[in-house]
Amino acid sequence: MTVLDLSAIKLRELNATLQGVEPDSHAAFEVRNPQGGHAIAVGLNAPIDVTINGSTGYYCAGMNQLATVRVTGSAGPGVAQNMMSGKVIVDGDASQYAGATSRGGILVIKGNATSRCAIQIKGGDVVVHGDIGHMSAYMAQSGSLVVLGDAGADLGDSIYESHLFVRGSVKSLGADCVEKEMRPEHVEHLSRLLHEAEADAKPEEFRRYGSARTLYHFEVDNAGPY
């Protein structure tokens, strides 16, 4: 394993090293002394393993492709934003808009996430072992959000076609978000996500939410929610 110490090298050098790895190397890296720095391990595009020992600031592991990135502490706003594939694990908590706009891959948060978690996801999956804050999955278009704890207010506001699974309570649903039937294919899908996230929970304990599809086209009777 290659050690990259941010107390000895610049962030630009660290990211250039990680981004320059040969695609078939399957290399492993340990990042020491992140000190809450921003944009650590962004733009990775090879199947490498990166362990960041400590907490990070804004946009850690953004735009990730193929890589597996683990943060042993907590992550600041925008962790794994716009991820395309691969896997990002946060052992602690995550701040605002975790996993926002992700198009693929999976983001696992072992602690809690604050507001706007998984907003506008477009195919990525986000699994939170704890609670999430308000306005999560706002305008989510595809992919899934799984919450083992409780969800804050306005869950799934203006949602399109994403699947939302919550084991705990939901403070309130956003515009056009409704509870839906949990069919066998959803149980199978959720079971796979829980296994991938190393989550100790059963699919039968969750409730599913999604779009009522009443806001797809403007109708004057729906003027209020707009």
Side-chain angles (χ1 to χ4, degrees), residues 3-15 17:
V3 175
L4 301 171
D5 191 337
L6 276 173
S7 68
I9 63 173
K10 299 291 187 183
L11 174 63
R12 187 180 295 274
E13 180 181 350
L14 180 140
N15 281 334
T17 299

Side-chain angles (χ1 to χ4, degrees), residues 132-173:
I132 59 171
H134 68 276
M135 291 292 286
S136 291
Y138 168 71
M139 290 189 71
Q141 297 171 32
S142 182
S144 301
L145 170 62
V146 179
V147 184
L148 277 69
D150 300 329
D154 298 323
L155 175 71
D157 191 85
S158 304
I159 188 174
Y160 288 83
E161 291 300 325
S162 295
H163 299 288
L164 312 182
F165 302 98
V166 181
R167 185 168 68 165
S169 65
V170 176
K171 187 170 185 178
S172 65
L173 296 175

Side-chain angles (χ1 to χ4, degrees), residues 27 36 72 81-82 108 114 120 135 140 157 164 175 182:
T72 66
Q81 184 164 321
N82 205 34
V108 179
T114 61
Q120 296 189 32
M135 291 292 286
D157 191 85
L164 312 182
M182 192 77 152

Side-chain angles (χ1 to χ4, degrees), residues 57-178:
Y58 282 74
Y59 306 123
C60 176
M63 302 177 289
N64 183 53
Q65 295 188 71
L66 301 174
T68 297
V69 180
R70 176 182 286 274
V71 179
T72 66
S74 293
V79 60
Q81 184 164 321
N82 205 34
M83 179 165 60
M84 305 299 285
S85 63
K87 186 173 185 178
V88 176
I89 308 111
V90 179
D91 287 340
D93 299 322
S95 190
Q96 303 172 79
Y97 39 93
T101 71
S102 61
R103 295 172 180 268
I106 182 170
L107 167 63
V108 179
I109 299 167
K110 297 291 185 72
N112 303 301
T114 61
S115 64
R116 300 176 184 271
C117 179
I119 60 170
Q120 296 189 32
I121 53 174
K122 299 177 173 67
D125 298 314
V126 179
V127 180
V128 181
H129 286 222
D131 303 331
I132 59 171
H134 68 276
M135 291 292 286
S136 291
Y138 168 71
M139 290 189 71
Q141 297 171 32
S142 182
S144 301
L145 170 62
V146 179
V147 184
L148 277 69
D150 300 329
D154 298 323
L155 175 71
D157 191 85
S158 304
I159 188 174
Y160 288 83
E161 291 300 325
S162 295
H163 299 288
L164 312 182
F165 302 98
V166 181
R167 185 168 68 165
S169 65
V170 176
K171 187 170 185 178
S172 65
L173 296 175
D176 213 34
C177 186
V178 296

